Amino acid sequence: EGAVVSSVAIDENQAKITIFNVPDKPGMAGKIFSALGEAGINVDVIVQNVGKENFADISFTVNINEMEKAKNIVEKVAKEIGAERVVADPDICKVSIIGIGMMNHPGVAGKMFTCLAKCGINIEMISTSEIKISCVIRKKDGQKALLELHKEFIEKS
Amino acid sequence: EGAVVSSVAIDENQAKITIFNVPDKPGMAGKIFSALGEAGINVDVIVQNVGKENFADISFTVNINEMEKAKNIVEKVAKEIGAERVVADPDICKVSIIGIGMMNHPGVAGKMFTCLAKCGINIEMISTSEIKISCVIRKKDGQKALLELHKEFIEKS
Ligand SMILES: C[C@@H](O)[C@H](N)C(=O)O
Ligand SMILES: C[C@@H](O)[C@H](N)C(=O)O
C-alpha cells in the first residue's frame, strides 16, 4: 500500500478555531461560514463530527495571519446563534498524505495514524478526501511527523 | 464564486460509524483504522474534531454493505482501548460540491451550508479538502439536497 501515497506535506502556517456547542439545527453552519466568506477569509479544513444532545462542535483552520480576524467574526456569530464559546489555537500544524484512490487501499489511514503514534504524537483533528488524509497536530510535532511519514510512505516504497 | 464549483455529487450507499469517547492519546486512531485495514474494509470519510476532557469522537463512513462487519471490528477495538460505545447508522448519505481551489473562494462553504439550511436539512458531519466539501445528512434529504445544490452552484453559473 506504500505505493498509493505519492507525497506527504505539512502546513505550518495555520491556526485552528473551534466553536463549541453549536445548536445542532439547520442554518448554524451556514451563518458561521457565510460570515467568514463575507469577510473574505480563506478557510482550509472544516471539520464537524456528529452532534450530541442537540449540540455539535465545528472547527476550521485559517492562515495564522487571519486568526484574530476570523475569531472576532465567529465570536459575533456564536453569540447570535447561542453557541457556547470560541477557542482559537495558533499552535498547530497540518500534516497530510496525498495519493490516488486511497479509499480503495484499506490500511493507509491506519498506517498514517500508527506512524504518528509511534512518535508519541497525539492526533487532534482528522479530515479526509479520496486523495488526502490530513491530521492536525501540535506545531512542535510537525517536523518529526513529516520526517517519519516520509520514511514510512515515500522512502519505503 | 459560483464558477469555481464544477460539480455536485451524492453518495447514497454509505453508512456512518461513530466511536464515542475515544481516549484522546496517541495510538487510538492507529489501532482503530489498522484493524479496519487488516479486514480489508474501505473507509471513505474520516472525521475527528478536537477532544474535550481527554476524549474525542471519531466517525467514518463505509459502503453500507460493510457496515455490520466494520461495526463488529470497531466494537472489539473500542473495548480494548476503553472507548465508550460504537454507533452504526445506515440512514445517511453524503453530498459534496467539487471544484478547484475552493479554499481561495471564501463563501463557497457558507453558500453550500446555507443552501442545505434553506431546505430545512440538518448537517450532521462536515469534511473538506481543497477540491471538495462534503456533508453527511439524513438519507431522506439526499435527493432534495442534490437538486438544490445543483441549482445553486451549477445552474446559476
Ligand atoms: C451544527 C451545524 O452543522 C448544524 N447541524 C447545521 O446544519 O447548520
Ligand atoms: C482520538 C485519537 O485520534 C487520538 N488522539 C490518537 O492520536 O490516536
Side-chain angles (χ1 to χ4, degrees):
Chain A
E1 325 127 349
V4 74
V5 174
S6 55
S7 61
V8 300
I10 189 168
D11 188 333
E12 293 175 288
N13 296 316
Q14 297 200 353
K16 71 165 155 75
I17 294 174
T18 302
I19 310 116
F20 287 100
N21 285 335
V22 174
D24 191 8
K25 56 183 187 182
M28 308 290 97
K31 283 206 170 83
I32 291 163
F33 290 94
S34 294
L36 290 164
E38 279 158 29
I41 293 182
N42 292 322
V43 170
D44 183 25
V45 176
I46 302 171
V47 166
Q48 179 193 313
N49 208 338
V50 297
K52 293 194 278 197
E53 301 175 355
N54 301 316
F55 291 96
D57 303 329
I58 301 178
S59 294
F60 61 96
T61 64
V62 293
N63 189 291
I64 207 161
N65 300 327
E66 303 219 85
M67 188 187 84
E68 281 306 319
K69 186 178 177 194
K71 184 183 184 212
N72 290 334
I73 286 162
V74 164
E75 279 173 332
K76 280 203 190 72
V77 181
K79 268 205 184 69
E80 285 171 36
I81 64 176
E84 180 191 320
R85 64 198 171 97
V86 175
V87 175
D89 180 0
D91 192 29
I92 58 137
C93 65
K94 183 182 80 167
V95 290
S96 307
I97 59 174
I98 296 133
I100 306 297
M102 288 203 291
M103 180 185 173
N104 297 320
H105 288 81
V108 172
K111 195 166 164 180
M112 177 186 192
F113 304 151
T114 299
C115 179
L116 295 173
K118 285 191 177 142
C119 309
I121 295 172
N122 197 44
I123 299 165
E124 302 184 15
M125 284 166 63
I126 301 170
S127 188
T128 59
S129 70
E130 288 86 353
I131 59 166
K132 196 176 203 182
I133 301 176
S134 292
C135 291
V136 167
I137 60 176
R138 280 301 95 189
K139 192 171 245 148
K140 67 172 176 64
D141 294 331
Q143 286 304 319
K144 175 75 178 158
L146 185 69
L147 192 73
E148 294 302 317
L149 289 171
H150 196 269
K151 276 191 204 158
E152 181 68 46
F153 285 105
I154 310 298
E155 292 167 37
K156 279 187 183 175
S157 57
Chain B
E1 329 129 343
V4 75
V5 175
S6 55
S7 61
V8 301
I10 188 168
D11 188 333
E12 292 175 288
N13 295 316
Q14 296 200 354
K16 71 167 155 75
I17 294 176
T18 302
I19 309 117
F20 287 99
N21 285 335
V22 175
D24 191 9
K25 57 184 188 181
M28 308 290 97
K31 284 207 170 81
I32 292 163
F33 289 94
S34 293
L36 289 165
E38 279 158 31
I41 293 182
N42 293 322
V43 171
D44 183 25
V45 175
I46 302 171
V47 165
Q48 178 193 314
N49 207 338
V50 297
K52 293 193 278 196
E53 302 175 355
N54 299 317
F55 291 96
D57 302 330
I58 301 178
S59 294
F60 61 96
T61 65
V62 293
N63 189 290
I64 207 162
N65 299 329
E66 302 219 86
M67 188 188 84
E68 282 305 320
K69 186 177 176 192
K71 184 183 185 211
N72 290 334
I73 287 162
V74 164
E75 278 173 333
K76 280 203 190 73
V77 181
K79 269 205 183 71
E80 286 172 34
I81 64 178
E84 180 193 317
R85 64 196 170 98
V86 175
V87 175
D89 181 359
D91 193 26
I92 57 137
C93 64
K94 182 182 81 167
V95 290
S96 308
I97 58 174
I98 296 136
I100 306 296
M102 287 201 293
M103 179 182 172
N104 299 320
H105 288 80
V108 172
K111 195 166 164 180
M112 177 187 191
F113 304 151
T114 299
C115 178
L116 295 173
K118 285 192 176 140
C119 310
I121 294 173
N122 197 44
I123 299 165
E124 302 184 15
M125 284 166 61
I126 302 169
S127 188
T128 59
S129 71
E130 289 86 351
I131 60 166
K132 197 176 202 182
I133 302 175
S134 291
C135 292
V136 167
I137 59 176
R138 281 300 96 189
K139 192 170 242 147
K140 66 170 175 65
D141 293 331
Q143 287 302 320
K144 175 75 178 159
L146 185 69
L147 193 74
E148 294 302 318
L149 289 170
H150 196 270
K151 274 190 204 158
E152 181 66 46
F153 284 105
I154 310 298
E155 292 169 36
K156 280 188 185 172
S157 57

